Amino acid sequence: MANVTYEQVKQVLAEYQDPYLGTDLVSAHALKNIELADGNIKVQIQLGFPAKTYADELASNLRDVISALAGVASVVVDVSWQTSAHAVQKTLKHFDNIKNIIAIASGKGGVGKSTTAVNLALALAAEGARVGILDADIYGPSMPQMLGITGKPDTDGKGMSPKNAHGIQAMSIGFLVDEDTPMIWRGPMVSQALEQLLRDTRWDDLDYLIIDLPPGTGDTQLTLSQKIPVSGAVIVTTPQDIALLDARKALKMFQKVEVPVLGIVENMSLHICTQCGHEEAIFGSGGGDKMAHDYGITLLGQLPLAMQIREQADNGNPTVVADPNGRIAHIYRDIARKVSARLSRRGRDYAAKFPKIVIQND
């Protein structure tokens, strides 16, 4: 029996559609090497997104499809990942210590955006990424309570150290003022505060910084698009028509400022009764799917309206860490993989790799 060839193995990998990349591994440049020796095959796959809880599943799937080829004696599949910095707005440059900034936005308040943002950050960390979260809602900061963090950050006159909770770095105006102190500031002051929180925080080598934006398309969002290098954005909505109207405005805002929208998260898709488990579409159904279809973007996932999500966030232990093996945490991790995988397919930023040329006069 003839041994399997390099081209046969590569063809199998070219036909395997990864559910997170939305394409095959060869087109995504994830195939790094194929070694053949008397029917013994070793394949090296390197993903561009963190995949700690997905790597074994992918390796198993690839072993199965390769083993089906005639002439295969054994198969070893090694799956690793490496996160790169991706392109941002043309006029801006990456921060040295942050590879990618992802904005979480909604056109309307009350759709669960902050809960989604914090669980997304925790899910990316669970997949093996170095993650930070910036609470950009100056008027109504929620991260201190959601992450169960108290106390002010350490400062040295030059900057602040982020607070740490559940394996992620965090910064919020809520760490700097009393919980019941209202921020009675005009727009320019809010924009300046956002910039300072971002630039004065000593973030420690982040793969992803999640920015939880306030609802709407006002001063904070404008500052983000004009002065902060953003690799991509995620829109959070509910299926309700009124929420979708505002979500479309948020999407169009990012399109105008040339920030790619990585997809939509539909929150509160179904209500799950705590007594009987009955599911009911209280806010309607199909809204997020239709919006994704209309604008040619990805529906990243649909989350239920479940009491435990609210309770866990209120108690400082969001769902991804409170119930890591549960159904809802699985949905958040699935969304996190899709977000980071779709970002991995976008153009990379190579500016940091260019040598700096200094001209001196003798």
Side-chain angles (χ1 to χ4, degrees):
M1 182 183 294
N3 286 330
V4 66
T5 67
Y6 175 95
E7 288 302 325
Q8 286 176 308
V9 177
K10 185 177 180 181
Q11 182 60 36
V12 166
L13 296 173
E15 293 173 354
Y16 182 87
Q17 294 288 309
D18 183 86
Y20 299 107
L21 289 166
T23 188
D24 66 272
L25 297 168
V26 176
S27 298
H29 306 292
L31 174 61
K32 295 304 176 184
N33 194 34
I34 298 173
E35 295 179 16
L36 297 175
D38 299 325
N40 298 302
I41 303 170
K42 184 175 181 179
V43 174
Q44 290 182 312
I45 302 293
Q46 186 179 81
L47 301 172
F49 62 98
K52 184 176 181 179
T53 67
Y54 172 58
D56 288 345
E57 177 187 339
L58 176 60
S60 177
N61 291 342
L62 295 181
R63 281 195 299 270
D64 289 344
V65 295
I66 295 170
S67 297
L69 292 170
V72 173
S74 68
V75 181
V76 174
V77 178
D78 176 46
V79 177
S80 62
W81 62 88
Q82 182 175 351
T83 306
S84 300
H86 293 276
V88 296
Q89 303 96 310
K90 294 176 183 178
T91 57
L92 301 176
K93 294 192 305 181
H94 276 279
F95 296 117
D96 291 338
N97 50 351
I98 304 172
K99 289 181 181 176
N100 299 287
I101 293 177
I102 300 175
I104 311 298
S106 68
K108 188 176 182 60
V111 298
K113 172 187 50 59
S114 294
T115 307
T116 301
V118 72
N119 276 293
L120 177 58
L122 292 167
L124 286 168
E127 292 298 332
R130 294 182 62 84
V131 183
I133 188 164
L134 175 64
D135 188 351
D137 194 341
I138 304 299
Y139 295 122
S142 56
M143 287 305 141
Q145 179 165 348
M146 285 190 174
L147 290 171
I149 303 174
T150 58
K152 298 186 184 305
D154 295 331
T155 61
D156 60 5
K158 296 180 181 179
M160 302 176 290
S161 296
K163 305 288 283 187
N164 289 278
H166 309 302
I168 65 173
Q169 302 169 43
M171 182 52 66
S172 169
I173 195 71
F175 299 147
L176 304 174
V177 299
D178 293 335
E179 188 177 85
D180 57 353
T181 300
M183 305 306 293
I184 309 174
W185 290 353
R186 293 188 184 276
M189 293 180 67
V190 172
S191 299
Q192 184 178 353
L194 171 61
E195 278 195 86
Q196 280 192 276
L197 283 176
L198 176 57
R199 297 179 187 276
D200 292 351
T201 300
R202 293 190 293 265
W203 304 103
D204 186 10
D205 290 330
L206 298 180
D207 295 315
Y208 304 98
L209 175 65
I210 303 300
I211 297 187
D212 177 28
L213 287 172
T217 54
D219 286 331
T220 303
Q221 290 79 4
L222 190 60
T223 296
L224 182 90
S225 61
Q226 292 180 334
K227 298 182 179 182
I228 296 174
V230 181
S231 299
V234 173
I235 308 295
V236 180
T237 186
T238 66
Q240 190 176 9
D241 289 344
I242 293 174
L244 287 163
L245 283 173
D246 291 331
R248 290 186 178 95
K249 294 175 185 175
L251 186 148
K252 289 180 178 179
M253 176 197 71
F254 284 119
Q255 289 177 336
K256 285 184 177 180
V257 297
E258 298 182 337
V259 171
V261 175
L262 302 171
I264 301 170
V265 174
E266 185 182 85
N267 205 15
M268 308 181 195
S269 293
L270 291 168
H271 171 252
I272 302 174
C273 178
T274 57
Q275 300 298 317
C276 66
H278 174 70
E279 297 183 354
E280 187 173 9
I282 291 178
F283 294 108
S285 62
D289 216 358
K290 184 178 185 304
M291 181 176 167
H293 180 267
D294 289 346
Y295 291 94
I297 57 178
T298 302
L299 179 62
L300 298 166
Q302 296 169 296
L303 289 155
L305 176 62
M307 187 181 295
Q308 70 187 83
I309 298 177
R310 191 270 304 165
E311 289 177 337
Q312 289 158 348
D314 282 352
N315 292 329
N317 285 288
T319 304
V320 169
V321 292
D323 186 19
N325 298 316
R327 171 192 170 193
I328 296 171
H330 173 80
I331 297 173
Y332 280 123
R333 287 198 304 272
D334 194 69
I335 292 170
R337 292 190 206 113
K338 288 178 181 175
V339 168
S340 54
R342 277 154 177 73
L343 180 57
S344 76
R345 294 192 60 198
R346 301 197 62 82
R348 295 185 182 181
D349 182 88
Y350 294 103
K353 298 183 179 180
F354 293 159
K356 293 182 180 179
I357 300 173
V358 178
I359 300 175
Q360 293 179 327
N361 295 322
D362 294 331

